[in-house]
Amino acid sequence: MKSRTKSPTLAAVGLAAVVALSLAACASSSSGGTGGKGATGSTLTIADVAPFSGPDAALGPTYLASCYGATTAINNAGGVLGHKLTCKSVDTRGDPADAVPAVNQMFATTSSLALVIGCTSDEAASVVPIINSHKMAMFCMTGQSEFDHLHFPYFYRLVPPDLEESYAMVAIAQEMHYSRIALAFGNDIGSQTFIQPAIAALKKAGIALTTNQTLDLSATTFRTEAEAIIQSHPDAIMTEALGSADPTLFSEIKELNGGKMIPIIGTSAAISPPFFKASAAAVGASAFATDFRADNLVTESSGPAYQAFSKALLAEQGKVPGATGNFTTYLSAPGGVHLYDGINLAALAMIMSKSTSPGRYGPDIIKIGNGVPGATVVYSFAQGAAALKAGKAIRYEGPGGPTSFDGYHDSTGIFQVDTYSSSGTVNVVGNLTAAQLRALAG
C-alpha cells in the first residue's frame, strides 16, 4: 500500500487530477460505461492497479493472485450475465507520477473494463478521482485517512485506515509487555502515515519512543539507522519499509548487534510471501520468525467461505505472474482475502442489477454486503449466483468475514496478531479487541 514520496493530500493532487481527467476525456470519452456495453459473451476486464515494479513490486502480484482465483471460480460457475471475466495488470510503479498516465492509458485502451482493484496508498490520492470520474467501481487497498471523510460514489474499501493499524501495532507491544519501542518506517506515502498515530498511541500507552528512523527505499544500506536503533536499546521495532529496505535493515541490525535480532512488530503489509522470503534470507528463517509479529485484519481460516477461497486461490499456484515465495501466504495477505471478496461482491451485484455498468451495479454491492432482513447468507460466488437466480435476497460473507459498509463505502473488521513459522506459514496467535484500539486512539 506504499510509495516513495512524501504523502500528498487529495487537495494537493487536485491540479494533477484535473490535467489527468482532461487527458483521459480526450483519449476515451465513453470509458465510464464500457462495462455495460459489451455484447453478450464478450470478456469483461478487472484491472489490478498497483505497483508491479519498484520497491513495492510485491503488492501487484498479491492482488493479481486474488483476481486470478476469483475470476476463475466465477467463470467456472457460469460467469456474469453471459460474460467471462479476465484480469489485467496496470503497473503504477508505486509513484503518482507514473500512476496517473498508467490509469489514463488503461481507460483509453480497455473497452471492456468492469472493475478496478488495488489502488494502494502509493497512488490512491492521485488516481481515485480519475477512476471515479469515469464512473468505474473500485475496491482500493489504501489506508489513507483522507478517504475516511471524502465520498467518492464509486470507491469501496474493505481495509482499515492506517491510524487503526498504528493502534494495533501499539496494542501488540502492550500485550508483549514492551516498554521501549523504536520506529523504522519507509519514506513512502503509505508507510509515513503510520508514524504520527503510532507516536501518539505509544505516549498514551506509556511506552517510551527510543528513536524514529526514516528508511529511504532507494538506499542499499541502513547501517546508520541500524546503529541508532541498537544504541537506543528498544525492546522491539515497529516497522514498515517494503521492497528490500526492511530485510536489509534486519540484516544490518543482526550484524551490528552481536548476531542477535531485535523483536519486530510489522503492519499487515508484512504478511506476504516476498516479504518473508527476503527477511528469512537476510537473517535466517528461524531467527526472523522467532520474534516477529504483525497486525492483520481478522480473516477466516475454516468454514465454507474459507474453503471456497482457498480452493480458488491455490488452484492458481504457478500461474500468477510475479508471485514468489510460499504461495499459501496469500491466504492470509490482506489483498489475497479482501480483494477476492470485493470481486465477488461486484460480480454478484452485476447479477442482482442485471447490468455490468458500475453506475447500475454499484448500489447493489452495499445491499449484498450489508444484507437485508431475511437475506440468505452465501459464502461463494456460485452460491450467491444460484440464490439470486432463485429470486432470493442474499448477504455475501467471504473469507474476510461479514461486511458493514458505512456512508463512505468503508467496511473494516477487527484485527488479529499473525506470526510466521520458519517455513513461512502464517499462524494466528491472538486477536485485538475494538476496546484495545479505542483505548489508544487520540
Side-chain angles (χ1 to χ4, degrees):
M1 296 183 282
K2 322 303 170 191
S3 177
R4 297 188 296 274
T5 55
K6 184 178 179 181
S7 176
T9 63
L10 289 172
V13 298
L15 179 59
V18 169
V19 174
L21 296 179
S22 299
L23 292 173
C26 293
S28 179
S29 61
S30 62
S31 296
T34 54
K37 295 182 178 179
T40 301
S42 63
T43 299
L44 302 178
T45 300
I46 297 177
D48 177 4
V49 175
F52 285 84
S53 59
D56 300 343
L59 297 176
T62 299
Y63 308 156
L64 197 62
S66 307
C67 191
Y68 273 46
T71 56
T72 298
I74 290 168
N75 292 341
N76 289 342
V80 174
L81 303 176
H83 301 278
K84 297 294 186 180
L85 303 181
T86 191
C87 304
K88 176 178 182 174
S89 303
V90 179
D91 186 8
T92 67
R93 302 181 183 179
D95 191 321
D98 294 310
V100 168
V103 167
N104 285 330
Q105 180 72 6
M106 171 189 74
F107 279 111
T109 60
T110 314
S111 61
S112 60
L113 189 63
L115 178 68
V116 169
I117 62 170
C119 34
T120 74
S121 293
D122 282 343
E123 64 278 324
S126 298
V127 304
V128 165
I130 298 172
I131 299 169
N132 191 76
S133 76
H134 282 275
K135 300 181 180 180
M136 180 54 57
M138 66 194 110
F139 277 89
C140 290
M141 290 297 294
T142 176
Q144 289 169 291
S145 60
E146 294 99 316
F147 297 101
D148 302 347
H149 315 295
L150 295 175
H151 179 62
F152 290 95
Y154 294 88
F155 174 91
Y156 300 87
R157 181 167 63 171
L158 297 173
V159 293
D162 289 339
L163 62 85
E164 289 191 15
E165 277 211 71
S166 296
Y167 303 155
M169 297 173 80
V170 175
I172 293 173
Q174 286 181 308
E175 289 191 342
M176 298 302 295
H177 303 292
Y178 296 143
S179 60
R180 297 172 59 82
I181 293 292
L183 302 185
F185 285 86
N187 65 338
D188 54 299
I189 291 172
S191 298
Q192 286 290 301
T193 63
F194 290 105
I195 295 175
Q196 291 307 315
I199 291 173
L202 287 169
K203 183 177 181 180
K204 195 159 189 178
I207 297 174
L209 172 62
T210 66
T211 185
N212 178 14
Q213 298 294 316
T214 297
L215 308 183
D216 181 351
L217 299 191
S218 65
T220 57
T221 180
F222 300 103
R223 292 185 72 85
T224 300
E225 293 85 353
E227 288 174 348
I229 290 169
I230 293 167
Q231 291 172 9
S232 74
H233 303 292
D235 297 325
I237 304 166
M238 288 171 46
T239 185
E240 178 182 277
L242 300 188
S244 62
D246 258 342
T248 300
L249 176 70
F250 301 158
S251 175
E252 292 174 338
I253 286 175
K254 183 179 180 182
E255 177 188 346
L256 297 170
N257 196 39
K260 296 180 180 179
M261 277 293 294
I262 297 173
I264 300 296
I265 301 174
T267 69
S268 58
I271 304 302
S272 102
F275 184 84
F276 175 83
K277 182 179 180 180
S279 298
V283 299
S286 180
F288 173 67
T290 298
D291 287 314
F292 172 84
R293 281 169 173 74
D295 69 78
N296 201 358
L297 280 180
V298 170
T299 58
E300 297 179 4
S301 57
S302 62
Y306 175 79
Q307 290 170 5
F309 168 57
S310 60
K311 180 181 179 180
L313 197 68
L314 294 179
E316 302 307 308
Q317 187 166 355
K319 303 176 185 178
V320 182
T324 62
N326 187 338
F327 197 83
T328 64
T329 305
Y330 289 131
L331 295 172
S332 301
V337 177
H338 299 292
L339 292 181
Y340 167 89
D341 282 345
I343 292 168
N344 280 340
L345 282 166
L348 290 170
M350 293 178 197
I351 294 176
M352 182 173 174
S353 67
K354 298 181 175 59
S355 174
T356 59
S357 174
R360 294 277 301 278
Y361 77 71
D364 288 333
I365 290 175
I366 306 298
K367 294 177 184 177
I368 292 172
N370 291 0
V372 296
T376 298
V377 178
V378 299
Y379 301 100
S380 67
F381 170 83
Q383 281 187 335
L388 288 171
K389 185 176 181 180
K392 298 178 181 179
I394 64 171
R395 174 169 186 168
Y396 171 81
E397 183 175 323
T403 59
S404 180
F405 288 105
D406 63 17
Y408 297 98
H409 296 175
D410 282 338
S411 175
T412 62
I414 59 176
F415 287 94
Q416 64 189 30
V417 182
D418 287 353
T419 63
Y420 282 113
S421 71
S422 58
S423 65
T425 301
V426 177
N427 299 311
V428 180
V429 296
N431 290 326
L432 302 172
T433 67
Q436 284 177 284
L437 302 188
R438 282 197 300 269
L440 295 168

